[in-house]
Amino acid sequence: MSGGDTRAAIARPGMAVAHGPVAPSSPGQVTLLPVQRSSFLPRFSRATPSISLAESALKVWHEAYNSGLLPQLMAQHSLAMAQNGAVPSEATKRDQNLKRGNWGNQIEFVLTSVGYAVGLGNVWRFPYLCYRNGGGAFMFPYFIMLIFCGIPLFFMELSFGQFASQGCLGVWRISPMFKGVGYGMMVVSTYIGIYYNVVICIAFYYFFSSMTHVLPWAYCNNPWNTRDCAGVLDASNLTNGSRPATLPSNLSHLLNHSLQRTSPSEEYWRLYVLKLSDDIGNFGEVRLPLLGCLGVSWVVVFLCLIRGVKSSGKVVYFTATFPYVVLTILFVRGVTLEGAFTGIMYYLTPQWDKILEAKVWGDAASQIFYSLGCAWGGLITMASYNKFHNNCYRDSVIISITNCATSVYAGFVIFSILGFMASHLGVDVSRVADHGPGLAFVAYPEALTLLPISPLWSLLFFFMLILLGLGTQFCLLETLVTAIVDEVGNEWILQKKTYVTLGVAVAGFLLGIPLTSQAGIYWLLLMDNYAASFSLVVISCIMCVAIMYIYGHRNYFQDIQMMLGFPPPLFFQICWRFVSPAIIFFILVFTVIQYQPITYNHYQYPGWAVAIGFLMALSSVLCIPLYAMFRLCRTDGDTLLQRLKNATKPSRDWGPALLEHRTGRYAPTIIPSPDDGFEVQPLHPDKAQIPIVGSNGSSRLQDSRI
């Protein structure tokens, strides 16, 4: 076929496709096949697809070909492909979900997920678990659980959300009867979001209180201090601003032998910041300084999410990275202190005999499970804003390992300072080690008072806690907002998403007010112990069963291959089907066996408070059977078995959100309408594909940049 014949073939869009390759007139010549109109319509418009779109594209192509711009267009397209980092077998990643939006780039998603997974628990829980469960020996079961449970579950949730481009509710088109799992995730995220921001507001309060020459919890001469207060600094030196080189012998004796000794940081926390009441039912007054800081916390979260992932994706460049700068500064300062090596060895020295204890393995599995944020709904939500062909397998490995490495690194930071404090007091490290709020707001702040320029170190530490908390809080709020917006799904709520975010933030602030009362810390710990405990394990286990055994592991593996260009590795296939569900079940059994009634210091929670805690835990789990029964009643079928079958099979709109990705068994057989569950978009010029016959007679599809 001559050049003129080729151009004529291109100029006739209505011409039928040839039934075989057309031989070029000379070796090396590239010949374009005539194409059908439909081949230029990879995406459909919201109205009936217009042939004029295809004809316009053909005319542009014709003019580019006649003007000799074809090589430049192809070269530019190849460069764009390389820059976009398409996965194997995919031509390009330039797919934008215009309806929901996408991350600005892949770094934003990775940083957001790191900020979500790396939270306060990495700093105040893991180091304590490590030294309590055998030091360095605890690392062995910890990383075993990471490999066989943490990373596989992380990959499953990321791939689940990315494939469907839906939040924790919309993804259950895969098996509508299990949509209650998504509602359970929403309930859990609601509970965590309420009390997590209260912890952030307390960190804000300490941050503002550190803006002074002398930290208010350094000495025992404040109006709120009691006779039992004994600080690590000599109170008599407050007037002249000097610091004692060593502890007075009488103070050291008091610290070592007096059972009544309370630190100034503990009294500041209990008697001034919280004004702690004597019972969980005695709310007392609302602490106005904490209420103001709670308002600041919610305002910051709302402003960072005001444009959804488009705004939060920019904020995480700072909130997800700066905590590592602070950790490094505190680490360098800590290891240079006297006694730091003792604290680090206390943290790392292995006690290999403890590996044989089931409790150690249970703590390792629980810490991996909870620290990665599995079953909260946040991973599914964040991944739903990825481009369809993003390599979420690579991301899951990077984020999971980063999370665990951060936990180990934070242990060095914490125990180097605690070792210094123990050396200064002349006591064992176990006497000053603590976890949870006791570490963040009592033990560590007290240790910081021993450092020169202590307000500076205090500012850095609490600023780090604020950023760690905000990274998790962003995803918790976005999980709720995305679930609501995706569930309603009309154009009005998409345009008003900012108001939905505002409404959720205001509701979270109002629900958090009781936690700023004098009994607030009791309720905060109650929610932390029950709202996100065994319920997460149940939700995650049911999710694994629903995907692997109800939907079918072969179907899911094919979906991942369609999305990534390769099936999940055999290791992950085995973990998803057998190993991870078994470990999750082990965590559930371990949680039940090791259950002990909640206490706070020496306060024993009353029975009615524990009952409320169990109700909070059950409220998320009960969503699953309640919605399943509701769905069965609404599903067509003559028999219960038929209803069950219809309720568990994927809905018609399950699959990729964009039509260009709905290939294979997801390919539409009729022209879609806007009422379908996937997004329909105007013709995308980057995706027009031209059949080309090469000099060897083989044909292929070539993306053009028309």
Side-chain angles (χ1 to χ4, degrees):
M1 181 181 290
S2 64
D5 294 335
T6 303
R7 289 190 294 272
I10 295 176
R12 294 195 297 273
M15 187 173 178
V17 178
H19 292 287
V22 180
S25 58
S26 60
Q29 179 181 354
V30 177
T31 306
L32 300 179
L33 281 175
V35 295
Q36 292 178 335
R37 298 179 182 183
S38 60
S39 66
F40 275 85
L41 289 173
R43 296 185 184 182
F44 294 88
S45 64
R46 294 190 180 277
T48 303
S50 174
I51 300 301
S52 61
L53 290 174
E55 292 177 345
S56 300
L58 286 168
K59 289 178 181 178
V60 173
W61 175 266
H62 189 195
E63 293 173 359
Y65 184 81
N66 288 333
S67 60
L69 296 178
L70 180 61
Q72 293 89 329
L73 289 175
M74 294 304 180
Q76 189 176 4
H77 174 66
S78 300
L79 177 60
M81 286 171 57
Q83 291 175 343
N84 287 332
V87 298
S89 79
E90 290 296 334
T92 182
K93 283 174 59 179
R94 286 179 169 270
D95 53 288
Q96 286 288 344
N97 194 323
L98 302 179
K99 183 177 179 180
R100 299 177 80 250
N102 294 99
W103 297 105
N105 56 62
Q106 209 48 39
I107 296 179
E108 293 181 5
F109 166 69
V110 172
L111 290 178
T112 300
S113 299
V114 167
Y116 172 66
V118 177
L120 299 174
N122 296 72
V123 174
W124 74 21
R125 178 170 170 79
F126 173 81
Y128 176 81
L129 283 179
C130 190
Y131 100 83
R132 192 185 70 178
N133 289 297
F138 181 73
M139 302 290 184
F140 179 73
Y142 182 73
F143 283 103
I144 289 293
M145 292 300 175
L146 170 67
I147 294 171
F148 287 96
C149 183
I151 297 178
L153 288 178
F154 206 92
F155 181 27
M156 173 181 282
E157 292 201 28
L158 291 190
S159 60
F160 194 22
Q162 180 174 307
F163 182 79
S165 297
Q166 290 288 314
C168 61
L169 291 182
V171 291
W172 289 105
R173 295 168 182 171
I174 192 174
S175 186
M177 195 179 79
F178 290 93
K179 192 175 182 178
V181 175
Y183 284 110
M185 291 178 175
M186 285 188 65
V187 172
V188 169
S189 292
T190 300
Y191 286 140
I192 298 175
I194 291 172
Y195 77 78
Y196 212 83
N197 225 15
V198 175
V199 178
I200 298 173
C201 92
I202 298 175
F204 264 114
Y205 183 83
Y206 270 79
F207 177 77
F208 295 140
S209 300
S210 301
M211 296 179 180
T212 179
H213 293 294
V214 178
L215 293 175
W217 56 85
Y219 298 96
C220 291
N221 62 343
N222 300 290
W224 58 83
N225 292 127
T226 66
R227 293 181 179 180
D228 297 327
C229 179
V232 295
L233 298 175
D234 187 4
S236 63
N237 286 309
L238 176 63
T239 55
N240 56 27
S242 63
R243 297 171 46 89
T246 59
L247 282 175
S249 58
N250 60 338
L251 179 58
S252 179
H253 176 79
L254 176 66
L255 295 179
N256 285 324
H257 300 94
S258 175
L259 297 177
Q260 294 183 335
R261 185 258 176 182
T262 57
S263 66
S265 62
E266 181 180 351
E267 293 196 348
Y268 179 78
W269 160 253
R270 181 167 48 88
L271 302 178
Y272 183 75
V273 177
L274 301 179
K275 288 191 176 179
L276 189 65
S277 66
D278 58 353
D279 186 72
I280 187 174
N282 182 14
F283 284 90
E285 64 180 11
V286 172
R287 298 286 294 121
L288 293 181
L290 294 182
L291 182 63
C293 291
L294 181 63
V296 171
S297 301
W298 277 110
V299 168
V300 171
V301 172
F302 169 70
L303 292 178
C304 292
L305 288 174
I306 193 168
R307 293 181 56 239
V309 296
K310 293 298 183 183
S311 55
S312 65
K314 304 299 183 291
V315 175
V316 294
Y317 280 104
F318 178 74
T319 60
T321 57
F322 193 73
Y324 291 96
V325 177
V326 178
L327 278 175
T328 302
I329 294 174
L330 293 175
F331 172 73
V332 172
R333 184 67 187 98
V335 296
T336 60
L337 298 172
E338 180 184 357
F341 181 76
T342 303
I344 292 175
M345 291 307 297
Y346 197 88
Y347 166 56
L348 289 180
T349 300
Q351 302 174 36
W352 295 108
D353 57 308
K354 289 199 172 186
I355 287 187
L356 301 177
E357 298 178 11
K359 186 178 185 302
V360 174
W361 289 84
D363 281 344
S366 300
Q367 177 63 16
I368 284 290
F369 185 84
Y370 295 125
S371 68
L372 289 176
C374 298
W376 292 15
L379 298 178
I380 294 175
T381 301
M382 296 302 105
S384 71
Y385 292 101
N386 278 335
K387 295 179 181 179
F388 184 74
H389 295 299
N390 170 62
N391 191 344
C392 58
Y393 166 65
R394 170 202 60 202
D395 295 341
S396 62
V397 175
I398 293 174
I399 297 167
S400 301
I401 293 178
T402 301
N403 172 72
C404 296
T406 303
S407 298
V408 176
Y409 186 38
F412 285 92
V413 176
I414 297 298
F415 274 89
S416 61
I417 297 292
L418 294 182
F420 165 65
M421 180 179 177
S423 174
H424 204 88
L425 295 175
V427 299
D428 190 74
V429 178
S430 61
R431 293 283 301 276
V432 296
D434 203 348
H435 69 288
L439 171 66
F441 302 117
V442 178
Y444 205 84
E446 183 179 16
L448 293 177
T449 61
L450 298 170
L451 301 178
I453 326 177
S454 55
L456 172 63
W457 305 111
S458 182
L459 283 171
L460 286 174
F461 175 71
F462 288 110
F463 190 54
M464 178 190 70
L465 291 186
I466 291 170
L467 296 182
L468 289 175
L470 288 176
T472 303
Q473 190 68 19
F474 291 159
C475 296
L476 291 171
L477 183 60
E478 186 62 39
T479 297
L480 299 175
V481 173
T482 298
I484 295 171
V485 172
D486 286 349
E487 185 67 8
V488 178
N490 56 38
E491 292 293 335
W492 180 85
I493 199 167
L494 287 171
Q495 296 173 358
K496 305 296 183 181
K497 184 177 178 180
T498 300
Y499 296 101
V500 177
T501 306
L502 177 62
V504 174
V506 171
F509 170 74
L510 295 177
L511 292 172
I513 291 178
L515 302 185
T516 62
S517 67
Q518 291 179 257
I521 191 65
Y522 297 124
W523 290 98
L524 188 151
L525 294 175
L526 185 72
M527 297 178 71
D528 184 44
N529 277 270
Y530 290 95
S533 58
F534 73 88
S535 56
L536 288 176
V537 183
V538 174
I539 289 173
S540 185
C541 188
I542 294 177
M543 181 180 67
C544 286
V545 171
I547 296 176
M548 290 293 105
Y549 296 99
I550 305 300
Y551 178 63
H553 62 277
R554 290 187 180 88
N555 290 332
Y556 196 68
F557 298 160
Q558 291 173 6
D559 292 342
I560 291 181
Q561 184 166 6
M562 178 195 305
M563 179 172 64
L564 301 183
F566 56 88
L570 180 61
F571 171 78
F572 286 89
Q573 297 182 21
I574 296 174
C575 285
W576 286 346
R577 295 181 61 191
F578 308 110
V579 180
S580 296
I583 294 177
I584 294 173
F585 183 74
F586 164 71
I587 297 174
L588 179 61
V589 173
F590 170 79
T591 303
V592 173
I593 294 176
Q594 294 292 325
Y595 171 76
Q596 293 179 351
I598 181 175
T599 61
Y600 177 58
N601 292 336
H602 300 293
Y603 175 75
Q604 187 78 33
Y605 279 67
W608 63 267
V610 175
I612 292 177
F614 276 110
L615 288 176
M616 284 191 291
L618 289 174
S619 63
S620 56
V621 176
L622 287 177
C623 292
I624 302 173
L626 291 177
Y627 186 85
M629 290 187 291
F630 168 77
R631 189 74 189 189
L632 280 175
C633 295
R634 298 288 300 272
T635 303
D636 296 331
D638 297 330
T639 64
L640 179 61
L641 184 61
Q642 187 64 39
R643 286 172 177 261
L644 188 64
K645 182 179 179 181
N646 292 336
T648 54
K649 69 180 182 181
S651 61
R652 185 174 62 90
D653 52 358
W654 160 250
L658 302 184
L659 277 171
E660 66 185 83
H661 301 138
R662 297 183 73 89
T663 59
R665 66 179 186 274
Y666 297 106
T669 56
I670 59 174
I671 295 176
S673 68
D675 296 331
D676 292 328
F678 42 82
E679 183 178 0
V680 283
Q681 297 181 4
L683 177 67
H684 196 299
D686 290 352
K687 302 296 289 188
Q689 295 185 335
I690 307 297
I692 294 182
V693 176
S695 58
N696 60 357
S698 62
S699 61
R700 58 190 173 91
L701 288 177
Q702 173 65 50
D703 288 349
S704 74
R705 288 186 58 83
I706 308 174

